[in-house]
Amino acid sequence: MRRAHLLAAALGSVSLGCAPKPPPPVMQMPPATIEGAKPVAQRTPSKEIAVRFPYAANEEITTLAYSDLALLAKPELVQGVATSLAWWAKDVAGVDRACVDSIVGGAKEILVGDGQRGWVAVVRVPDHTLESTCTPDAQLASELMIEGTTKAWAFKENGRACATTPGWLACGHPEMVKLALAAGGDGLVPVSLDGDEVVTIDDRDNVRDLRLVAASTEDRFTARVELTFDSDDEARKIHEMLERPTELAPAISAESKATPEQQRLVSRIARNLVASHRAARASIRIELEEPIEAQVRDLTDFMGLVTSTLRTMKMRVRTEEARANLNHLAGKLAEAWESKDPKSPFAAKTKLVSFPAVPSTVPKRAALTSPADSWKAWSAVGWSVETPSFYQYEVIAAKDGQTADLVARGDLDGDGKVSTFTRHVRIDKSSKQLMIEDVVATEPE
């Protein structure tokens, strides 16, 4: 019964968005150690939902979340979940309140996955014909045809989709939704819950791995977060920040764009956490003593904070990649301009030249590796990006060669809307030196 509020919490994690560079295969999260908890048999996803997990056993998964809602019972918790799901129903699923009530009234499990092929959230709602109550909001979505589903709709703005079959709702990338509801998976999902755990999340990107376990008892909520970075320095910084609660609350609120309700929770969390670090891993344990009814609110707000912060961190990392690479490219271009090599295209110091876009298409949602030979035309400036990148790079010179734009383009969440970073370069008429301006970003919301 205390798992009811986890539906909203886990659903929040489906917006984690952009797939990072390929991480190592997802390993099962170690169980949280909850003092005083009685040993309980490990709970794994049911066979029914496991075959709807559309990722192959050897496929790289960047986000994996699971919540077992089988003990949903208390009416007050059901109402709490229904209220907290209102935002998800409108902004993620594009359905009305009747659909939300149907989901909350009978949901048993939720499973969320994200990989290079796209993300999907699958909700098991046995004994419910969701297609009779789940109607897409005409302002947000339009009806869609997905083979094997009873109802499907596509979002007008971001290319996501939702679909139903009797007893099931799936949302995410259209192809992944189709595969999930076709129930053709191998039934192997590397995730489980132990003891009083109610949700588990494993999220990875190219600068850190995050593992989270939340547990609920009748009188307390406990969460453990583990962050593993590329360097010891990052883990140490996190530990030091967490030990300054007066600075921590404003920092988390700003990072996650917290709502007023979440800000109040952040203040309580800051006073009730224990942090540590060892090498590149930072560990955080949070424990709030409160009745189960209060956990409906706090756990949903907590998971919302985690989701918002992860999204912000990922987008910042990707933004920093584009800026860093354009800075490096500008430096290489300046070196080539000042070179006395007679074979340099800039030897005459009269005009700038263009360099072709690499890769040929804008990366969509995933980091791509461009082969070395695709950068041959760039040899004049001695610059290339041969590690996985979320961006396409190009130099576009004006017809008269007096100016040029260094451009990075990336579709960071696969919705067809491209983020563009531009660094303008011009030749100073009197000194013939290159004048390089700051990076200008044009990013969709």
Side-chain angles (χ1 to χ4, degrees):
M1 56 188 174
R2 48 184 174 270
R3 279 104 175 142
H5 51 290
L6 263 298
L7 179 57
L11 286 172
S13 68
V14 301
S15 58
L16 293 177
C18 315
K21 75 177 185 181
V26 170
M27 300 298 291
Q28 180 176 316
M29 187 185 303
T33 303
I34 310 299
E35 287 81 355
K38 297 180 180 179
V40 178
Q42 187 179 68
R43 305 191 310 282
T44 57
S46 67
K47 293 180 180 180
E48 292 83 358
I49 201 170
V51 296
R52 286 172 169 79
F53 192 62
Y55 303 94
N58 61 348
E59 189 166 353
E60 291 156 346
I61 303 171
T62 58
T63 301
L64 179 59
Y66 175 64
S67 183
D68 174 6
L69 306 168
L71 299 183
L72 183 65
K74 281 190 175 181
E76 64 270 27
L77 297 187
V78 173
Q79 183 57 43
V81 177
T83 301
S84 61
L85 265 180
W87 65 270
W88 181 80
K90 183 171 178 59
D91 295 333
V92 178
V95 296
D96 57 21
R97 185 56 178 271
C99 182
V100 177
D101 291 340
S102 295
I103 297 170
V104 174
K108 300 301 181 186
E109 291 177 283
I110 179 169
L111 186 60
V112 180
D114 194 2
Q116 289 196 348
R117 289 189 294 147
W119 66 265
V120 67
V122 185
V123 186
R124 182 168 73 95
V125 196
D127 304 320
H128 280 258
T129 54
L130 296 175
E131 60 273 15
S132 65
T133 55
C134 292
T135 304
D137 186 326
Q139 294 183 336
L140 298 175
S142 58
E143 290 193 10
L144 177 70
M145 293 297 296
I146 294 183
E147 184 181 353
T149 65
T150 50
K151 180 178 287 188
W153 54 97
F155 293 88
K156 298 177 180 179
E157 294 295 326
N158 56 30
R160 294 180 306 203
C162 285
T164 64
T165 59
W168 296 92
L169 170 69
C171 292
H173 186 280
E175 183 62 26
M176 303 308 284
V177 168
K178 177 181 177 180
L179 292 172
L181 294 182
D186 56 20
L188 300 175
V189 186
V191 68
S192 63
L193 297 170
D194 291 327
D196 287 306
E197 294 171 3
V198 289
V199 67
T200 175
I201 294 177
D202 195 334
D203 185 77
R204 298 164 180 246
D205 68 13
N206 57 343
V207 295
R208 64 100 191 96
D209 296 343
L210 175 141
R211 291 180 176 181
L212 179 148
V213 173
S216 171
T217 64
E218 292 294 341
D219 61 354
R220 72 187 61 228
F221 160 62
T222 307
R224 188 191 70 200
V225 182
E226 291 184 356
L227 287 160
T228 304
F229 297 92
D230 288 341
S231 69
D232 298 1
D233 188 53
E234 290 295 330
R236 178 183 56 77
K237 288 179 180 178
I238 289 289
H239 184 189
E240 291 175 352
M241 180 187 73
L242 293 173
E243 290 187 325
R244 300 191 295 271
T246 56
E247 300 175 24
L248 175 62
I252 294 179
S253 296
E255 180 79 1
S256 62
K257 300 179 181 179
T259 65
E261 293 76 12
Q262 290 172 338
Q263 289 176 18
R264 287 191 287 271
L265 177 61
V266 167
S267 297
R268 292 181 59 206
I269 288 174
R271 297 191 302 269
N272 292 275
L273 65 78
V274 176
S276 63
H277 85 278
R278 177 179 295 179
R281 175 176 294 181
S283 300
I284 308 161
R285 181 182 173 84
I286 302 161
E287 187 167 308
L288 301 177
E289 291 190 25
E290 58 188 10
I292 191 77
E293 289 76 10
Q295 296 179 37
V296 175
R297 175 196 67 240
D298 286 349
L299 188 52
T300 300
D301 286 342
F302 174 74
M303 296 302 294
L305 282 169
V306 172
T307 299
S308 299
T309 303
L310 287 175
R311 186 185 306 116
T312 302
M313 288 172 65
K314 285 187 175 184
M315 295 305 289
R316 185 172 62 241
V317 167
R318 286 150 182 70
T319 297
E320 289 172 354
E321 175 196 322
R323 291 180 181 276
N325 282 339
L326 288 182
N327 288 343
H328 188 226
L329 173 57
K332 285 298 207 178
L333 190 66
E335 288 179 15
W337 182 263
E338 296 298 329
S339 171
K340 301 184 184 301
D341 184 354
K343 296 182 180 180
S344 168
F346 311 123
K349 302 288 190 293
T350 57
K351 62 171 56 179
L352 295 162
V353 298
S354 298
F355 293 91
V358 180
S360 58
T361 59
V362 176
K364 189 171 185 178
R365 201 177 179 282
L368 301 180
T369 301
S370 299
D373 60 4
S374 65
W375 296 98
K376 285 183 179 179
W378 293 68
S379 60
V381 291
W383 188 82
S384 63
V385 181
E386 296 179 13
T387 55
S389 174
F390 288 91
Y391 293 91
Q392 174 195 70
Y393 293 93
E394 184 177 13
V395 175
I396 306 172
K399 289 183 178 180
D400 62 4
Q402 298 307 293
T403 63
D405 287 329
L406 318 183
V407 184
R409 308 180 189 91
D411 182 357
L412 300 183
D413 57 6
D415 65 356
K417 298 179 180 180
V418 175
S419 295
T420 304
F421 297 82
T422 306
R423 192 150 202 193
H424 189 68
V425 179
R426 63 181 175 84
I427 303 172
D428 183 74
K429 292 182 179 180
S430 58
S431 67
K432 297 300 181 182
Q433 291 185 329
L434 285 189
M435 310 302 290
I436 303 174
E437 298 180 3
D438 292 336
V439 174
V440 176
T442 304
E443 299 178 80
E445 292 189 6

